Amino acid sequence: MNTENSKTPWELIPEGAPNVSQEELSDMIRGLSRLFFSTFYVNLEQDTFRSVTRPQQVGDLLGNEVDCTSALRIYAQYFVHPDDQAEYLRVMNVDYIREELHWWNPVIAVEYRRRGENPDSWSWVRASAVLARSGADERPLTAVYVAQDISRGRRAVNSWPPCPDGTER
């Protein structure tokens, strides 16, 4: 049993390591959050979430919703391309996340097209659920949900010439 995963981040700092202040930790979290346009802290035991960062339009749509399963369905209905909704909801599903996240598999992700400001524009997004804390039985208790725009990278890969052997990149 890996008891390291049931500890909080503060408990994992080895003795004798340089002290990290609450302000420095907040700066690190804020800096990492800038990589993602949406960040949520998910309680997998209670199927609830808290917003860390999110676009205004997502906040307006979700309102005071705290049920994670319902929020993911609402988000998919309004923002995920219809052709990508089934896969998004298969992966970004609290039951699936509970089954798949472990210390040996700490991240699950799905890529999808997200509706832009203009109803006819779509951007590519990678949504990931990252294991934050496990219980003594190694089952995931909390996760961090992050979403990152990957459109630029998708366009770059799509502009590459074909592989000489004809395989996909």
Side-chain angles (χ1 to χ4, degrees), residues 122-133:
W122 298 90
S123 59
W124 280 98
V125 171
R126 177 179 295 116
S128 303
V130 182
L131 179 63
R133 186 167 53 96

Side-chain angles (χ1 to χ4, degrees), residues 9-85:
W10 290 106
E11 293 171 318
L12 293 173
I13 298 173
E15 270 190 57
N19 288 334
V20 177
S21 70
Q22 188 67 38
E23 181 181 358
E24 289 173 312
L25 183 60
S26 294
D27 287 345
M28 286 184 250
I29 292 169
R30 195 173 20 265
L32 289 170
S33 292
R34 288 189 181 114
L35 292 171
F36 310 102
F37 67 81
S38 284
T39 308
F40 295 90
Y41 184 77
V42 180
N43 182 320
L44 296 166
E45 291 181 297
Q46 298 176 5
D47 191 14
T48 58
F49 73 97
R50 281 192 328 242
S51 173
V52 178
T53 60
R54 68 174 185 224
Q56 182 66 43
Q57 65 194 64
V58 172
D60 292 346
L61 179 68
L62 295 180
N64 293 325
E65 182 64 59
V66 294
D67 175 84
C68 190
T69 297
S70 296
L72 289 167
R73 286 186 184 132
I74 292 167
Y75 177 82
Q77 179 182 354
Y78 287 93
F79 294 106
V80 177
H81 191 282
D83 293 345
D84 301 335
Q85 285 179 9

Side-chain angles (χ1 to χ4, degrees), residues 101-158:
L101 282 185
H102 298 284
W103 64 268
W104 63 87
N105 186 37
V107 179
I108 58 172
V110 63
E111 293 182 2
Y112 64 94
R113 289 164 286 182
R114 181 178 186 272
R115 184 180 312 280
E117 295 288 326
N118 176 343
D120 296 328
S121 69
W122 298 90
S123 59
W124 280 98
V125 171
R126 177 179 295 116
S128 303
V130 182
L131 179 63
R133 186 167 53 96
S134 296
D137 62 356
E138 296 186 1
R139 298 196 53 91
L141 301 175
T142 59
V144 177
Y145 172 99
V146 292
Q148 183 177 36
D149 187 319
I150 59 168
S151 298
R152 185 180 299 172
R154 281 280 204 150
R155 283 191 297 271
V157 168
N158 290 338

